[in-house]
Amino acid sequence: MKSSKATIIFLAFLLIVSCETKEKKRIVFDSISDDVELDLDSQSDDMNVSSDYAHANGEIISVPFKNKHGIKTLDVAINGMKFEMIFDTGCSGALISISEARYLYAKGKITEDDFIGVAKSQIADGRIVENMVINLKEVIIADKILCEDVEATVSPNNNAPLLLGGEVLNRVAAYSVDNERKVINFKLR
């Protein structure tokens, strides 16, 4: 009963809240593991860089991927919870299923304050669907790349794959896939 009540609150609040403004989003890299020396004192005060991640303009960060039947997946932590997401250059945003959203909500990793509203989107077969939209405070890729305030669409399909698309990929200057080394190279703006 308690989990169904939480789900009802989750869905009701989502329908009420809407997003009216978009802020410029930033991406931060953990360059410590890549032996990059940075002068953190020269960083601007408005960056709010945590001690685990450092801002590294122009640096290239290599992230390993897994290849599952031709689909590249990355290890990702969403608000502290580990998942695998599909690296999807054809997806304009980030997508999680209602199952992951419920799980994050039950664990206290997303709250009512993270619900943005609903949005219409066109799926691969051309249909227009309406989905919930939430804010993911942190998406950390392979323990190296921190993306804050990632707007994610929540699919009502329990089995929808988790997609890492344009909402994150548009924050970097460039990315390239190295199939030989099985890494994706991200270059920070």
Side-chain angles (χ1 to χ4, degrees):
M1 177 74 177
K2 190 173 185 177
S3 69
S4 62
K5 183 177 178 182
T7 302
I8 291 169
I9 292 169
F10 174 83
L11 294 172
F13 190 85
L14 183 62
L15 293 172
I16 295 169
V17 178
S18 66
C19 179
E20 299 203 13
T21 61
K22 282 208 177 235
E23 295 180 24
K24 184 176 179 186
K25 297 180 180 152
R26 65 185 182 86
I27 190 165
V28 180
F29 286 86
D30 174 6
S31 59
I32 296 168
S33 61
D34 292 323
D35 297 326
V36 176
E37 292 183 27
L38 297 173
D39 180 8
L40 292 178
D41 294 329
S42 69
Q43 300 298 325
S44 64
D45 292 335
D46 64 348
M47 290 193 49
N48 299 321
V49 176
S50 75
S51 60
D52 294 334
Y53 300 90
H55 182 71
N57 275 340
E59 293 297 323
I60 296 176
I61 307 299
S62 295
V63 173
F65 68 81
K66 295 174 192 148
N67 194 341
K68 295 182 177 185
H69 309 289
I71 298 171
K72 293 166 180 56
T73 64
L74 302 172
D75 290 329
V76 175
I78 298 173
N79 294 351
M81 305 300 289
K82 301 240 182 220
F83 297 97
E84 255 186 32
M85 293 185 83
I86 295 172
F87 178 76
D88 189 348
T89 59
C91 178
S92 62
L95 178 87
I96 64 173
S97 76
I98 190 70
S99 297
E100 282 82 24
R102 285 182 183 141
Y103 177 74
L104 291 166
Y105 185 77
K107 295 290 185 183
K109 301 298 182 178
I110 57 174
T111 66
E112 287 83 6
D113 291 337
D114 297 313
F115 304 140
I116 295 171
V118 293
K120 292 182 180 182
S121 57
Q122 185 172 17
I123 59 176
D125 69 4
R127 289 183 294 141
I128 304 295
V129 296
E130 195 169 89
N131 297 302
M132 296 183 277
V133 181
I134 62 173
N135 178 59
L136 304 174
K137 290 179 185 82
E138 290 185 344
V139 174
I140 302 172
I141 303 168
D143 294 325
K144 293 183 177 189
I145 302 171
L146 167 67
C147 301
E148 295 178 315
D149 296 322
V150 173
E151 195 173 291
T153 301
V154 179
S155 170
N157 181 346
N158 281 322
N159 299 316
L162 282 79
L163 303 178
L164 188 68
E167 174 65 12
V168 171
L169 301 179
N170 291 338
R171 298 181 188 197
V172 297
Y175 53 87
S176 63
V177 177
D178 184 336
N179 285 312
E180 196 168 298
R181 291 181 42 228
K182 293 195 182 225
V183 296
I184 298 172
N185 299 305
F186 292 91
K187 181 179 179 185
L188 185 60
R189 287 182 198 263

mmCIF file of all heavy atoms in Angstrom, residues 146-181:
data_model
loop_
_atom_site.group_PDB
_atom_site.id
_atom_site.type_symbol
_atom_site.label_atom_id
_atom_site.label_comp_id
_atom_site.label_asym_id
_atom_site.label_seq_id
_atom_site.Cartn_x
_atom_site.Cartn_y
_atom_site.Cartn_z
ATOM 1 N N LEU A 146 31.123 13.757 -14.473
ATOM 2 C CA LEU A 146 29.961 14.179 -13.701
ATOM 3 C C LEU A 146 29.140 15.168 -14.520
ATOM 4 O O LEU A 146 29.658 16.192 -14.953
ATOM 5 C CB LEU A 146 30.389 14.843 -12.385
ATOM 6 C CG LEU A 146 29.315 15.597 -11.613
ATOM 7 C CD1 LEU A 146 28.257 14.638 -11.084
ATOM 8 C CD2 LEU A 146 29.935 16.394 -10.481
ATOM 9 N N CYS A 147 27.880 14.845 -14.718
ATOM 10 C CA CYS A 147 26.944 15.759 -15.372
ATOM 11 C C CYS A 147 25.875 16.092 -14.343
ATOM 12 O O CYS A 147 25.228 15.196 -13.810
ATOM 13 C CB CYS A 147 26.296 15.113 -16.588
ATOM 14 S SG CYS A 147 27.462 14.596 -17.838
ATOM 15 N N GLU A 148 25.697 17.374 -14.075
ATOM 16 C CA GLU A 148 24.719 17.800 -13.084
ATOM 17 C C GLU A 148 23.444 18.266 -13.770
ATOM 18 O O GLU A 148 23.468 18.770 -14.891
ATOM 19 C CB GLU A 148 25.307 18.935 -12.241
ATOM 20 C CG GLU A 148 26.488 18.472 -11.410
ATOM 21 C CD GLU A 148 27.113 19.591 -10.601
ATOM 22 O OE1 GLU A 148 27.309 20.695 -11.171
ATOM 23 O OE2 GLU A 148 27.401 19.357 -9.411
ATOM 24 N N ASP A 149 22.348 18.073 -13.065
ATOM 25 C CA ASP A 149 21.037 18.531 -13.520
ATOM 26 C C ASP A 149 20.716 18.063 -14.937
ATOM 27 O O ASP A 149 20.522 18.854 -15.855
ATOM 28 C CB ASP A 149 20.929 20.053 -13.412
ATOM 29 C CG ASP A 149 21.022 20.507 -11.968
ATOM 30 O OD1 ASP A 149 20.476 19.812 -11.103
ATOM 31 O OD2 ASP A 149 21.654 21.546 -11.708
ATOM 32 N N VAL A 150 20.641 16.753 -15.081
ATOM 33 C CA VAL A 150 20.305 16.139 -16.362
ATOM 34 C C VAL A 150 18.797 15.953 -16.430
ATOM 35 O O VAL A 150 18.201 15.295 -15.586
ATOM 36 C CB VAL A 150 21.029 14.785 -16.531
ATOM 37 C CG1 VAL A 150 20.548 14.060 -17.786
ATOM 38 C CG2 VAL A 150 22.533 14.980 -16.552
ATOM 39 N N GLU A 151 18.186 16.561 -17.435
ATOM 40 C CA GLU A 151 16.753 16.411 -17.646
ATOM 41 C C GLU A 151 16.517 15.079 -18.341
ATOM 42 O O GLU A 151 17.072 14.819 -19.406
ATOM 43 C CB GLU A 151 16.256 17.564 -18.522
ATOM 44 C CG GLU A 151 14.771 17.723 -18.528
ATOM 45 C CD GLU A 151 14.340 18.967 -19.262
ATOM 46 O OE1 GLU A 151 14.599 20.076 -18.757
ATOM 47 O OE2 GLU A 151 13.763 18.821 -20.361
ATOM 48 N N ALA A 152 15.697 14.229 -17.717
ATOM 49 C CA ALA A 152 15.466 12.891 -18.271
ATOM 50 C C ALA A 152 13.983 12.668 -18.503
ATOM 51 O O ALA A 152 13.142 13.048 -17.690
ATOM 52 C CB ALA A 152 16.015 11.824 -17.332
ATOM 53 N N THR A 153 13.679 12.023 -19.603
ATOM 54 C CA THR A 153 12.322 11.596 -19.901
ATOM 55 C C THR A 153 12.112 10.240 -19.247
ATOM 56 O O THR A 153 13.010 9.400 -19.248
ATOM 57 C CB THR A 153 12.128 11.481 -21.427
ATOM 58 O OG1 THR A 153 12.382 12.762 -22.015
ATOM 59 C CG2 THR A 153 10.735 11.015 -21.782
ATOM 60 N N VAL A 154 10.930 10.042 -18.687
ATOM 61 C CA VAL A 154 10.594 8.765 -18.056
ATOM 62 C C VAL A 154 9.583 8.065 -18.947
ATOM 63 O O VAL A 154 8.466 8.555 -19.138
ATOM 64 C CB VAL A 154 10.020 8.963 -16.637
ATOM 65 C CG1 VAL A 154 9.649 7.612 -16.017
ATOM 66 C CG2 VAL A 154 11.018 9.712 -15.760
ATOM 67 N N SER A 155 9.984 6.926 -19.486
ATOM 68 C CA SER A 155 9.092 6.146 -20.335
ATOM 69 C C SER A 155 8.110 5.368 -19.469
ATOM 70 O O SER A 155 8.506 4.794 -18.458
ATOM 71 C CB SER A 155 9.903 5.167 -21.186
ATOM 72 O OG SER A 155 9.034 4.259 -21.847
ATOM 73 N N PRO A 156 6.829 5.321 -19.857
ATOM 74 C CA PRO A 156 5.874 4.527 -19.089
ATOM 75 C C PRO A 156 6.086 3.023 -19.265
ATOM 76 O O PRO A 156 5.486 2.224 -18.552
ATOM 77 C CB PRO A 156 4.520 4.963 -19.649
ATOM 78 C CG PRO A 156 4.820 5.472 -21.016
ATOM 79 C CD PRO A 156 6.206 6.037 -20.957
ATOM 80 N N ASN A 157 6.964 2.629 -20.167
ATOM 81 C CA ASN A 157 7.269 1.227 -20.425
ATOM 82 C C ASN A 157 8.262 0.726 -19.375
ATOM 83 O O ASN A 157 9.370 1.242 -19.267
ATOM 84 C CB ASN A 157 7.856 1.088 -21.832
ATOM 85 C CG ASN A 157 8.190 -0.337 -22.195
ATOM 86 O OD1 ASN A 157 8.249 -1.230 -21.361
ATOM 87 N ND2 ASN A 157 8.431 -0.547 -23.478
ATOM 88 N N ASN A 158 7.876 -0.280 -18.599
ATOM 89 C CA ASN A 158 8.757 -0.845 -17.575
ATOM 90 C C ASN A 158 10.044 -1.404 -18.149
ATOM 91 O O ASN A 158 11.052 -1.466 -17.457
ATOM 92 C CB ASN A 158 8.046 -1.951 -16.793
ATOM 93 C CG ASN A 158 7.107 -1.411 -15.745
ATOM 94 O OD1 ASN A 158 7.402 -0.417 -15.087
ATOM 95 N ND2 ASN A 158 5.967 -2.052 -15.590
ATOM 96 N N ASN A 159 10.027 -1.832 -19.393
ATOM 97 C CA ASN A 159 11.190 -2.474 -20.007
ATOM 98 C C ASN A 159 11.967 -1.558 -20.952
ATOM 99 O O ASN A 159 12.824 -2.039 -21.687
ATOM 100 C CB ASN A 159 10.756 -3.737 -20.759
ATOM 101 C CG ASN A 159 10.125 -4.741 -19.828
ATOM 102 O OD1 ASN A 159 10.630 -4.991 -18.735
ATOM 103 N ND2 ASN A 159 9.001 -5.312 -20.234
ATOM 104 N N ALA A 160 11.676 -0.285 -20.940
ATOM 105 C CA ALA A 160 12.388 0.647 -21.828
ATOM 106 C C ALA A 160 13.860 0.685 -21.437
ATOM 107 O O ALA A 160 14.205 0.671 -20.254
ATOM 108 C CB ALA A 160 11.787 2.035 -21.727
ATOM 109 N N PRO A 161 14.740 0.726 -22.423
ATOM 110 C CA PRO A 161 16.169 0.797 -22.110
ATOM 111 C C PRO A 161 16.547 2.172 -21.578
ATOM 112 O O PRO A 161 15.868 3.161 -21.865
ATOM 113 C CB PRO A 161 16.838 0.535 -23.462
ATOM 114 C CG PRO A 161 15.837 1.009 -24.462
ATOM 115 C CD PRO A 161 14.484 0.729 -23.864
ATOM 116 N N LEU A 162 17.610 2.225 -20.813
ATOM 117 C CA LEU A 162 18.128 3.504 -20.333
ATOM 118 C C LEU A 162 19.017 4.065 -21.433
ATOM 119 O O LEU A 162 19.948 3.395 -21.894
ATOM 120 C CB LEU A 162 18.937 3.307 -19.059
ATOM 121 C CG LEU A 162 18.133 3.120 -17.781
ATOM 122 C CD1 LEU A 162 17.600 1.722 -17.661
ATOM 123 C CD2 LEU A 162 19.005 3.453 -16.598
ATOM 124 N N LEU A 163 18.732 5.293 -21.876
ATOM 125 C CA LEU A 163 19.451 5.887 -22.995
ATOM 126 C C LEU A 163 20.211 7.130 -22.546
ATOM 127 O O LEU A 163 19.648 8.014 -21.907
ATOM 128 C CB LEU A 163 18.483 6.267 -24.113
ATOM 129 C CG LEU A 163 17.602 5.151 -24.672
ATOM 130 C CD1 LEU A 163 16.663 5.695 -25.744
ATOM 131 C CD2 LEU A 163 18.445 4.004 -25.218
ATOM 132 N N LEU A 164 21.472 7.182 -22.905
ATOM 133 C CA LEU A 164 22.310 8.345 -22.655
ATOM 134 C C LEU A 164 22.485 9.037 -23.994
ATOM 135 O O LEU A 164 23.226 8.576 -24.855
ATOM 136 C CB LEU A 164 23.659 7.896 -22.088
ATOM 137 C CG LEU A 164 24.590 8.984 -21.591
ATOM 138 C CD1 LEU A 164 24.003 9.641 -20.353
ATOM 139 C CD2 LEU A 164 25.946 8.400 -21.269
ATOM 140 N N GLY A 165 21.761 10.122 -24.204
ATOM 141 C CA GLY A 165 21.761 10.798 -25.494
ATOM 142 C C GLY A 165 22.160 12.251 -25.406
ATOM 143 O O GLY A 165 22.985 12.644 -24.579
ATOM 144 N N GLY A 166 21.542 13.056 -26.247
ATOM 145 C CA GLY A 166 21.917 14.447 -26.440
ATOM 146 C C GLY A 166 21.922 15.311 -25.195
ATOM 147 O O GLY A 166 22.698 16.258 -25.116
ATOM 148 N N GLU A 167 21.080 15.027 -24.210
ATOM 149 C CA GLU A 167 21.056 15.835 -22.991
ATOM 150 C C GLU A 167 22.432 15.869 -22.328
ATOM 151 O O GLU A 167 22.824 16.871 -21.756
ATOM 152 C CB GLU A 167 20.000 15.290 -22.012
ATOM 153 C CG GLU A 167 19.961 15.952 -20.662
ATOM 154 C CD GLU A 167 19.550 17.415 -20.661
ATOM 155 O OE1 GLU A 167 19.057 17.934 -21.676
ATOM 156 O OE2 GLU A 167 19.727 18.066 -19.616
ATOM 157 N N VAL A 168 23.179 14.790 -22.431
ATOM 158 C CA VAL A 168 24.547 14.739 -21.912
ATOM 159 C C VAL A 168 25.558 14.984 -23.020
ATOM 160 O O VAL A 168 26.489 15.776 -22.867
ATOM 161 C CB VAL A 168 24.823 13.377 -21.229
ATOM 162 C CG1 VAL A 168 26.294 13.227 -20.887
ATOM 163 C CG2 VAL A 168 23.975 13.228 -19.974
ATOM 164 N N LEU A 169 25.381 14.354 -24.158
ATOM 165 C CA LEU A 169 26.372 14.426 -25.236
ATOM 166 C C LEU A 169 26.542 15.840 -25.780
ATOM 167 O O LEU A 169 27.639 16.204 -26.217
ATOM 168 C CB LEU A 169 25.998 13.463 -26.366
ATOM 169 C CG LEU A 169 25.886 11.988 -25.951
ATOM 170 C CD1 LEU A 169 25.483 11.131 -27.153
ATOM 171 C CD2 LEU A 169 27.163 11.491 -25.315
ATOM 172 N N ASN A 170 25.502 16.659 -25.741
ATOM 173 C CA ASN A 170 25.606 18.037 -26.235
ATOM 174 C C ASN A 170 26.387 18.943 -25.293
ATOM 175 O O ASN A 170 26.694 20.076 -25.638
ATOM 176 C CB ASN A 170 24.218 18.622 -26.487
ATOM 177 C CG ASN A 170 23.528 17.957 -27.660
ATOM 178 O OD1 ASN A 170 24.176 17.372 -28.523
ATOM 179 N ND2 ASN A 170 22.222 18.028 -27.679
ATOM 180 N N ARG A 171 26.730 18.457 -24.125
ATOM 181 C CA ARG A 171 27.489 19.250 -23.155
ATOM 182 C C ARG A 171 28.990 19.196 -23.405
ATOM 183 O O ARG A 171 29.735 19.963 -22.822
ATOM 184 C CB ARG A 171 27.209 18.767 -21.735
ATOM 185 C CG ARG A 171 25.762 18.925 -21.335
ATOM 186 C CD ARG A 171 25.555 18.446 -19.930
ATOM 187 N NE ARG A 171 24.139 18.417 -19.593
ATOM 188 C CZ ARG A 171 23.685 18.361 -18.372
ATOM 189 N NH1 ARG A 171 24.515 18.321 -17.352
ATOM 190 N NH2 ARG A 171 22.389 18.333 -18.155
ATOM 191 N N VAL A 172 29.431 18.266 -24.232
ATOM 192 C CA VAL A 172 30.861 18.150 -24.512
ATOM 193 C C VAL A 172 31.175 18.740 -25.875
ATOM 194 O O VAL A 172 30.294 18.864 -26.724
ATOM 195 C CB VAL A 172 31.335 16.675 -24.439
ATOM 196 C CG1 VAL A 172 31.146 16.114 -23.033
ATOM 197 C CG2 VAL A 172 30.639 15.801 -25.459
ATOM 198 N N ALA A 173 32.450 19.094 -26.078
ATOM 199 C CA ALA A 173 32.862 19.663 -27.364
ATOM 200 C C ALA A 173 32.818 18.610 -28.456
ATOM 201 O O ALA A 173 32.438 18.885 -29.592
ATOM 202 C CB ALA A 173 34.262 20.256 -27.248
ATOM 203 N N ALA A 174 33.224 17.393 -28.114
ATOM 204 C CA ALA A 174 33.268 16.313 -29.100
ATOM 205 C C ALA A 174 33.334 14.975 -28.383
ATOM 206 O O ALA A 174 33.717 14.898 -27.216
ATOM 207 C CB ALA A 174 34.482 16.473 -30.010
ATOM 208 N N TYR A 175 32.961 13.945 -29.106
ATOM 209 C CA TYR A 175 33.139 12.580 -28.614
ATOM 210 C C TYR A 175 33.417 11.700 -29.819
ATOM 211 O O TYR A 175 33.004 11.987 -30.945
ATOM 212 C CB TYR A 175 31.922 12.068 -27.827
ATOM 213 C CG TYR A 175 30.608 12.198 -28.557
ATOM 214 C CD1 TYR A 175 30.163 11.214 -29.429
ATOM 215 C CD2 TYR A 175 29.817 13.322 -28.377
ATOM 216 C CE1 TYR A 175 28.977 11.352 -30.105
ATOM 217 C CE2 TYR A 175 28.616 13.467 -29.050
ATOM 218 C CZ TYR A 175 28.196 12.475 -29.909
ATOM 219 O OH TYR A 175 27.008 12.610 -30.583
ATOM 220 N N SER A 176 34.170 10.638 -29.569
ATOM 221 C CA SER A 176 34.470 9.697 -30.647
ATOM 222 C C SER A 176 34.539 8.297 -30.065
ATOM 223 O O SER A 176 34.870 8.105 -28.898
ATOM 224 C CB SER A 176 35.793 10.050 -31.341
ATOM 225 O OG SER A 176 36.867 9.946 -30.419
ATOM 226 N N VAL A 177 34.219 7.326 -30.902
ATOM 227 C CA VAL A 177 34.217 5.935 -30.482
ATOM 228 C C VAL A 177 35.469 5.267 -31.020
ATOM 229 O O VAL A 177 35.764 5.346 -32.214
ATOM 230 C CB VAL A 177 32.958 5.210 -31.008
ATOM 231 C CG1 VAL A 177 32.991 3.742 -30.636
ATOM 232 C CG2 VAL A 177 31.701 5.887 -30.484
ATOM 233 N N ASP A 178 36.221 4.632 -30.130
ATOM 234 C CA ASP A 178 37.392 3.853 -30.510
ATOM 235 C C ASP A 178 37.029 2.389 -30.309
ATOM 236 O O ASP A 178 37.126 1.850 -29.200
ATOM 237 C CB ASP A 178 38.590 4.250 -29.636
ATOM 238 C CG ASP A 178 39.877 3.553 -30.028
ATOM 239 O OD1 ASP A 178 39.815 2.456 -30.641
ATOM 240 O OD2 ASP A 178 40.953 4.087 -29.711
ATOM 241 N N ASN A 179 36.571 1.739 -31.393
ATOM 242 C CA ASN A 179 36.129 0.347 -31.316
ATOM 243 C C ASN A 179 37.279 -0.607 -31.021
ATOM 244 O O ASN A 179 37.071 -1.653 -30.418
ATOM 245 C CB ASN A 179 35.418 -0.059 -32.603
ATOM 246 C CG ASN A 179 34.030 0.525 -32.677
ATOM 247 O OD1 ASN A 179 33.260 0.448 -31.734
ATOM 248 N ND2 ASN A 179 33.724 1.150 -33.808
ATOM 249 N N GLU A 180 38.474 -0.248 -31.446
ATOM 250 C CA GLU A 180 39.629 -1.115 -31.203
ATOM 251 C C GLU A 180 39.960 -1.185 -29.713
ATOM 252 O O GLU A 180 40.185 -2.261 -29.176
ATOM 253 C CB GLU A 180 40.830 -0.609 -32.002
ATOM 254 C CG GLU A 180 41.930 -1.623 -32.136
ATOM 255 C CD GLU A 180 42.948 -1.172 -33.162
ATOM 256 O OE1 GLU A 180 42.568 -1.027 -34.332
ATOM 257 O OE2 GLU A 180 44.105 -0.975 -32.763
ATOM 258 N N ARG A 181 39.984 -0.033 -29.054
ATOM 259 C CA ARG A 181 40.302 0.022 -27.622
ATOM 260 C C ARG A 181 39.062 -0.136 -26.742
ATOM 261 O O ARG A 181 39.167 -0.226 -25.527
ATOM 262 C CB ARG A 181 40.999 1.341 -27.280
ATOM 263 C CG ARG A 181 42.390 1.445 -27.864
ATOM 264 C CD ARG A 181 43.098 2.751 -27.503
ATOM 265 N NE ARG A 181 42.907 3.161 -26.126
ATOM 266 C CZ ARG A 181 42.554 4.392 -25.745
ATOM 267 N NH1 ARG A 181 42.356 5.343 -26.642
ATOM 268 N NH2 ARG A 181 42.401 4.684 -24.477
#
